Amino acid sequence: LENARVIFWDFDGVIKDSNEVKSDAFEELFLPFDRNVSKKIRLHHEANVGMSRFEKIPLYLEWANQEPITQLVEEYVNKFAVLVKQKVVDSYWVDGVLDYLVKNYEKQIFFLVTATPQEEIKAILSQLKIEEFFKQVVGSPTHKKAALKLLITKHSLYPKKAVMIGDSIIDYEAAKANQVKFILRKTKLNNELQEQLDCMIIDNFL
């Protein structure tokens, strides 16, 4: 990790242990429709943590027998943001990550690539006082694969000197598509990935 010139960071599950916060929020949001549906939604989210809420919510509305028209999708995206934003800020840091960021952001080039909406992640980073550590932040609606390609092109990066740290298959596929090495951060939600992927796996940054 320390030999990489460039690090692409995911956020939830890599910098903050906030995936469960989002699981709870999705379940709470759809609980009024049906308990079985809300449980199904929670399980789907946990199996697809790198997927944007802009893709998940139309699907979840369909499961709740609601037509995913633009206005309703926007309403639920906003409700979800209200439920999760402060809880993400308040969630635990992944062990050692803050110290790593502080010590190395001037030695290495850090980018943040996340499924969280662009303005929301910027507000979260500002509240956490860590926005200065990242040369650029790319959130939804840009897909991670496209985000890496954009950053590599824009900043004239050499992929073989870069690494991406993520916790989902979407993170892995984004790295692989852009010929960037991948490190999987181990979480309770990616046990299967730990067995399937041929890559470095870490518990934390201590």
Side-chain angles (χ1 to χ4, degrees):
L1 187 64
E2 290 180 348
N3 291 331
R5 173 70 181 137
V6 174
I7 300 179
F8 298 103
W9 296 84
D10 178 34
F11 185 80
D12 296 302
V14 172
I15 291 177
K16 281 280 194 162
D17 254 330
S18 44
N19 282 326
E20 198 161 343
V21 162
K22 295 192 171 181
S23 297
D24 292 344
F26 275 121
E27 188 170 7
E28 182 182 337
L29 195 57
F30 288 92
L31 192 58
F33 293 104
D34 182 275
R35 186 171 293 276
N36 291 329
V37 168
S38 65
K39 186 61 70 178
K40 179 183 176 183
I41 285 167
R42 182 188 185 99
L43 292 173
H44 179 272
H45 161 70
E46 291 181 346
N48 298 276
V49 291
M51 184 178 171
S52 165
R53 71 189 69 169
F54 296 105
E55 296 174 83
K56 289 176 178 174
I57 285 176
L59 177 64
Y60 297 167
L61 286 167
E62 285 183 359
W63 289 356
N65 293 318
Q66 304 297 306
E67 189 179 350
I69 58 173
T70 303
Q71 185 179 346
L72 189 61
V73 171
E74 287 178 357
E75 180 186 329
Y76 272 78
V77 165
N78 291 336
K79 283 182 178 179
F80 182 79
V82 169
L83 282 174
V84 299
K85 185 179 168 189
Q86 191 57 44
K87 289 180 181 177
V88 167
V89 170
D90 294 339
S91 61
Y92 290 112
W93 295 93
V94 170
D95 286 343
V97 73
L98 185 57
D99 191 48
Y100 189 93
L101 291 171
V102 170
K103 285 183 177 176
N104 294 287
Y105 81 100
E106 292 181 321
K107 301 174 191 172
Q108 296 171 295
I109 303 169
F110 294 161
F111 296 97
L112 191 72
V113 179
T114 175
T116 302
Q118 183 79 15
E119 292 310 310
E120 186 176 320
I121 191 64
K122 283 183 146 187
I124 288 169
L125 296 178
S126 177
Q127 206 167 332
L128 293 170
K129 296 182 169 46
I130 61 170
E131 69 271 34
E132 68 178 303
F133 300 149
F134 302 100
K135 189 174 180 71
Q136 189 171 340
V137 175
V138 183
S140 286
T142 307
H143 288 269
K144 293 184 177 183
K145 195 182 293 186
L148 260 66
K149 185 177 181 181
L150 179 150
L151 292 169
I152 288 167
T153 303
K154 178 179 175 183
H155 298 279
S156 302
L157 305 175
Y158 186 48
K160 292 193 182 302
K161 292 188 176 179
V163 66
M164 177 164 190
I165 311 169
D167 66 333
S168 72
I169 189 64
I170 289 174
D171 298 329
Y172 172 76
E173 289 172 347
K176 190 173 182 183
N178 289 281
Q179 300 178 308
V180 170
K181 292 187 194 76
F182 183 72
I183 296 174
L184 182 73
R185 194 259 154 170
K186 189 189 294 187
T187 73
K188 291 186 291 184
L189 304 181
N190 64 19
N191 289 326
E192 286 186 16
L193 273 186
Q194 293 168 36
E195 296 174 8
Q196 293 168 2
L197 298 185
D198 180 21
C199 67
M200 178 182 281
I201 299 173
I202 60 172
D203 286 300
N204 53 49
F205 298 89
L206 294 174

